[in-house]
Amino acid sequence: MLIAEFASSPFRIADHVTVDAPQAADLTKISATLDSTLTAELDGAQWSLGLAGEEILLAALGLAIARTIGEGVVPVDVAGHSGSIPLSCTSAGLATATEALGAVHRSLSAGSTAPKLAAQPASEIFFSYLGTEPGLRHPLELRAYRADGLVQLDWWYDTRSFDSYTVEELSEQLPLALIELTSEAMPQSHTPMAVGH
């Protein structure tokens, strides 16, 4: 599945439209922990697939969005990267695990040269594998970090934009998506898509 196939019609993921950035009082958090098995799965996948942890988690986020909200491409602001990247949110029936991970890897590697989404909608999602504090700019922020040897996932969301059950479902789907991706994906160096990108 190529990002370009969905790029002409990026979609919004929020349950409700808001016009201004959230304030501290608008935000709430759902916290989840990847248990020792899932954390080990992520660590092992980084080594076996030759990908960074943030790339694997972003691909899992894309699959979780596809299962919870719908399929398409959404712009995501990623900590440490300038500008939004297009995150392909597709089900396993439309993109293999290897393709999903490869798309994220290419988007992060391309940076400002990544494919642009039609109409360049503002990103509704911020992703960070660097820290815990919300940035107070996005309706949805996923903060992943290490604590006591385990990966912690904090889902900060604007209660004006998202219903709690939507974020709860995303938080439940992401670990399942992680297992699927890490168990089915092939190492990037063994796939044609990793060549010449």
Side-chain angles (χ1 to χ4, degrees):
M1 176 59 61
L2 299 176
I3 289 176
E5 294 181 33
F6 278 136
S8 61
S9 57
F11 76 112
R12 313 295 291 189
I13 65 166
D15 295 311
H16 311 285
V17 176
T18 54
V19 296
D20 54 342
Q23 303 299 311
D26 300 319
L27 295 176
T28 192
K29 177 179 69 171
I30 293 175
S31 293
T33 302
L34 296 184
D35 62 23
S36 58
T37 300
L38 286 173
T39 296
E41 185 79 13
L42 176 62
D43 291 342
Q46 293 180 70
W47 177 82
S48 64
L49 299 176
L51 296 171
E54 72 173 352
E55 294 175 326
I56 298 170
L57 288 172
L58 272 169
L61 174 61
L63 182 53
I65 290 172
R67 291 175 172 172
T68 303
I69 300 169
E71 298 182 336
V73 170
V74 296
V76 177
D77 289 335
V78 180
H81 297 268
S82 60
S84 300
I85 68 156
L87 180 64
S88 183
C89 306
T90 57
S91 68
L94 291 178
T96 67
T98 305
E99 289 169 338
L101 287 162
V104 170
H105 176 73
R106 289 192 300 272
S107 292
L108 287 175
S109 299
S112 60
T113 64
K116 301 301 180 185
L117 298 176
Q120 285 291 295
S123 175
E124 296 176 293
I125 313 174
F126 178 81
F127 173 83
S128 173
Y129 200 11
L130 303 175
T132 61
E133 294 303 315
L136 304 179
R137 290 197 309 115
H138 298 76
L140 179 65
E141 298 191 1
L142 175 55
R143 300 267 172 174
Y145 57 97
R146 298 275 176 155
D148 298 324
L150 302 176
V151 174
Q152 309 290 326
L153 301 172
D154 287 348
W155 298 81
W156 289 92
Y157 66 97
D158 182 351
T159 56
R160 303 169 306 160
S161 301
F162 284 93
D163 296 323
S164 61
Y165 60 79
T166 299
V167 184
E168 289 169 0
E169 182 66 16
L170 284 170
S171 71
E172 292 171 2
Q173 287 295 331
L174 191 141
L176 301 176
L178 176 63
I179 293 171
E180 181 175 328
L181 290 172
T182 56
S183 62
E184 296 182 3
M186 298 290 292
Q188 297 299 295
S189 59
H190 294 170
T191 60
M193 69 183 174
V195 178
H197 292 282

